[in-house]
Amino acid sequence: MGIKELVAQGTSSFAGSSADRVKNIEVAAAKLVGVVIPPGGTFSFNEHVGDVTAANGFEDSLVISGDTTAVGVGGGVCQVSTTVFRAAWFGGFPLQERWNHGYVVRWYGEPGLDATVYTPKVDFKFKNTTGNYLLIKPVVDKANGTMTFQFYGTKPNWKVEAAKPTI
């Protein structure tokens, strides 16, 4: 399958999040453990995480709705999509669908490095163009309030360079 080394990773911080937000982060991340993307395949966040509902283990927490903050089921799920996005972005994978939040969110640090999702209509997708399988490994570190997504496979022969955002 060609899964032999770390290909890319992305990290974000959720330090100081409420217990409900952390629970939602853990639930969403757990749904991505062991996901394998075939060569030429497209990863869809919504396909793997499924409906963000109480019935699927998600709790009420703060969510972004348009350009406002409100209480809703699944607050914190975008922390997970943002972190997967960072691994894909810094790994040089072609993005097929990515939406930013209505305003800059302090949890996500630099503007432009976030990816919002809202099942089923707003998704985050990227394509595996490495020619080998990619294995996704989420690491949630509650003690330090960080999340990292690691992509394992075979390192491609491209180099990724990213400039700081211009505001």
Side-chain angles (χ1 to χ4, degrees):
M1 293 179 75
I3 299 173
K4 57 185 180 182
E5 60 196 331
L6 181 65
V7 172
Q9 71 177 15
T11 300
S12 69
S13 172
F14 59 87
S17 290
S18 69
D20 292 335
R21 189 171 191 277
V22 172
K23 168 89 188 297
N24 291 337
I25 290 167
E26 291 178 308
V27 169
K31 293 175 183 286
L32 299 174
V33 170
V35 169
V36 176
I37 308 161
T42 296
F43 169 85
S44 163
F45 186 89
N46 288 349
E47 177 185 320
H48 293 287
V49 172
D51 290 334
V52 178
T53 63
N56 284 334
F58 295 97
E59 298 185 5
D60 281 344
S61 187
L62 294 177
V63 297
I64 296 173
S65 178
D67 60 356
T68 62
T69 303
V71 174
V73 176
V77 171
C78 289
Q79 183 86 41
V80 181
S81 61
T82 288
T83 312
V84 175
F85 159 69
R86 289 179 180 181
W89 173 255
F90 291 117
F93 294 95
L95 306 179
Q96 296 189 314
E97 183 177 349
R98 181 248 170 194
W99 302 90
N100 61 304
H101 288 83
Y103 56 87
V104 176
V105 180
R106 132 181 118 78
W107 300 110
Y108 308 141
E110 290 186 61
L113 291 178
D114 65 311
T116 189
V117 291
Y118 185 77
T119 57
K121 296 180 181 183
V122 177
D123 200 354
F124 170 67
K125 297 178 182 181
F126 71 91
K127 187 170 184 167
N128 174 11
T129 54
T130 65
N132 293 288
Y133 287 83
L134 279 180
L135 170 68
I136 295 180
K137 179 184 178 188
V139 179
V140 178
D141 181 346
K142 284 175 58 172
N144 291 310
T146 61
M147 162 181 283
T148 300
F149 270 87
Q150 300 170 327
F151 295 174
Y152 287 90
T154 300
K155 283 190 179 184
N157 62 353
W158 60 66
K159 181 179 178 184
V160 178
E161 295 180 5
K164 295 286 184 186
T166 300
I167 300 174

